Amino acid sequence: MARFLRPESFSAATEDLLLLPFNFERAGAHQYLVANMVGDFVRLSEEELNRLVDLQVRPGDGLYEKAYAAHLVTGTNQKAQRQLLAARLRSRMSFLQQTTPLHIFVVTLRCEHSCPYCQVSRQSTDRSRFDMNEQTAMSALDIAFASPTARIKIEFQGGEPLLNFPLIRKIVAAAKQRSGKQLDFVIASNLALLDDTVLEFCKENNVLLSTSLDGPADLHNKNRPRPDANSHELAVAGIRRAREILGPDRIGALMTTTEASLDRVDEIIDEYLQLGLDGIFLRPLSPFGFAIKTKQFAKYDAQKWLAFYERGLRRVLEINRQGTPFREFYAALLLTRMLSDRPIGYVDLRSPAGAGLGALVYNYDGSVFASDEGRMLAETGDDAFRLGHVEHDSYNSLILSDKLIGAISSSLTQCAPECSTCVYESHCGADPVYHHATQGDALGIKPLSAFCARQKGIMGLLLDILENSPEDAAILRRWAAA
Amino acid sequence: MTLPLYGTASQSAGFSSDKARSILRLRSVDSAAERHVADFAIARTPDDIRRAIEADWPSILFVSDGSIDLCGTFTGQLVAVPPKYNYLADGDVIGFDHASRKFRTLYRRNSAHNSFLVTERCNNYCLMCSQPPKNVDDRWILSEIRESLPLIDPATRALTFTGGETLSDWEDFTAVLKECRDRLSATAIQVLTNGRAFADSRIVDAWKEIGHPNLMAAIPVYASVDHVHDHVVQAKGAFDETILGILKLKDRGQRVEIRVVLHALTAPIIEDTGRWIARNLPFVDHVALMGLENTGFAIANDTMLWMDPVDYGDGLARAVDHLSAAGVNVSVYNLPKCVLPKSVWPHALQSISDWKNGFVEECDRCDAKTTCSGFFTTGRPRFSRGVRAIISQRDESTALAG
């Protein structure tokens, strides 16, 4: 029998070691949070980080093992770690292979609600002015079908899209007649006009419903006024009816946080729970109203919102600990990014940005926008994200327009100041529309950005729970599971 | 009990001297299956022999404790083996060396655990190797396998190729696997390899080209850190090549199982290894976390390697959690349920090959015996201090007490 060699025989010499790219952030007096190229986190002390950067690490000293397993250090002659990082990065970014999977049709701007946080709807009953016409719709469909992805989702928005239900029928029928793409349909509706005809149509055509539910009746009705002050009643009745007719997974609800919501997150969550919904998406305040006026106010607002979010997340975890599976969908999205390499092309949280590359918005009048928020900006006179018009443009001319390329290329987190060195970069996204709206610049100054403050705040919170609260961590890990 | 798979025939006759070895397939005396030149009627009594001769069998294998004198009544090929090989049955295949009369059971049709040793050569030298490598020219083994494949029942559910390093002669071996593709397309083929060869794109391309519909490369990864793995396999640079090999296989859509053998160098860090695999290689098709078979080098390195499974159970459970949460299909092999945390039980499989699988007396009182891996009977079995019959009633009383 040949002799066996001792562990030391397999150690690399210091001169054969090489640092791999990583980002870090101070996380306490002498503590650093470190993220490798694909966003795996590891905590190092200041002394460890200094030793690592100087490559003063030796196999067997504990730090070498920690840094090697986290792909912070490799051997000059080794290939596997670099190939692993490349493969994982490729997987994480592969959402780019599905170019423009979402197409939003604003079939009307009219609405019977008069929500103060809405920037776009009109009370008008003047159909000819604010409804999309059939010709515009068919031209928009041409563009949607010219996007390279094999599967597209067509989402009907408004205003209240059910006010122009006949056009929805026509678009769905026309889309189904065309071949070559898998199709998903969604109607984003307040459900006030939901009736059996609509439900039957949804059932026949496998159309999903998405609605707004801001919380308990008084809060919801305050946020979402309509003539009979019964928005909540109609929404709840609509959700119940839709679940019954279409099935429990065929309707989703979204909430919008207003100032009046900030102290009531438990009640808002309980409202969702009571309706039998399987989770809630705690969304930030819309930046396109009052919050936009001063940068500092926006930042202050982010802190208030984060407190609201944390209270909400902890309530959701408590519900899970008590035995009811219930998710907070934004956390689930971030956790999927943080704990796996599955490609997440969520339009508001990706870089390159989702504007245009993730979604196109066809407005009632034929204007095409890079995002829903872009269309809202246009309603207040800012055409920065108006890419063109369905009558004069093709998919290619829209996607390759200088406006879109400019916004996307100037906002890449991979090379933006503050972002490119941020420890959370792998899991974050570029939001050029938001930063244009709040700071007049698609890139924006990140320390002044409420978007940035929210992202870092939530990811910091999730990391804290993952590391320090085993029972809650197990729940969070389940949300990230495939 | 350990089934004897090797042995020496007590008697043989009728074999020509221009060939050193023959492959024999055993058939029932009454078998109506089409006869192959390698087929031997299996006889267990003098009456069987008489009937075989009547049925014109040109070749007979006789399982008996006495010698037999056929006195010119039979002029064909004859092999007689001792009664402990009475397990041999219709459809089984053995390799037989004419001069030494040594034989080896290559395939048992009724077993779920058939494996072919491909070579004893290896470029690793693992501290716990159950099949210590030998640097010898054993290429004849591959020829023997090629000769055996046509004799194997195409309905065989699973077949394993093991070594040594199975890819030592990768060109010849991939040719054997192509033969499996053609003859055994419904059989799950598992190849145990250290995976290092797949760092070479030529080899991984050849592997892909085999195109067997159910082929799996089972590759060991012992740590998330290079020098720890390299020490276990006693080969510097092995970790890098193995991981690169796994990546190249998956890049080409090939099926991969990762195997982690648990002992004192790998078990204390199994949670880290499990988490690392979950994070970096979640696309592998299966991960097997395996109790140590205490034989071969594992005996020589016992003081370095032995760790009682009850002392790493918690880490093992957490490794299983990390892998499951990442959607990785994970199993625990070779460890009896009584030494494992309950959360691991659904993953613990009856993995030990039937011919070397056994239980201890304590197991007779155990309610979980029929679904338990039991123990290896090979080498010098070591038993955990946690071995204890699982009795449902006792579980309840413990729960009440707790």
Side-chain angles (χ1 to χ4, degrees), chain A residues 447-469:
Chain A
L448 299 176
S449 162
F451 170 84
C452 174
R454 282 198 308 268
Q455 297 309 117
K456 289 180 132 181
I458 298 179
M459 282 190 264
L461 170 65
L462 293 173
L463 268 184
D464 178 51
I465 297 173
L466 286 172
E467 290 172 355
N468 301 316
S469 314

Side-chain angles (χ1 to χ4, degrees), chain B residues 214-270:
Chain B
N214 196 351
L215 172 66
M216 175 95 93
I219 299 175
V221 175
Y222 295 123
S224 56
V225 183
D226 55 352
H227 68 90
V228 179
H229 177 94
D230 289 358
H231 174 229
V232 171
V233 305
Q234 293 282 298
K236 193 162 182 178
F239 179 80
D240 198 55
E241 287 180 357
T242 292
I243 299 300
L244 207 52
I246 292 171
L247 283 174
K248 289 192 177 189
L249 281 167
K250 290 312 298 179
D251 192 44
R252 286 158 178 80
Q254 302 303 299
R255 301 179 70 226
V256 173
E257 170 181 282
I258 289 180
R259 307 189 135 203
V260 190
V261 177
L262 299 163
H263 51 61
L265 299 179
T266 58
I269 54 171
I270 188 59

Side-chain angles (χ1 to χ4, degrees), chain B residues 33-48:
Chain B
E34 193 188 335
R35 283 183 197 170
H36 187 278
V37 64
D39 285 348
F40 277 60
I42 182 162
R44 300 175 207 276
T45 63
D47 188 51
D48 284 348

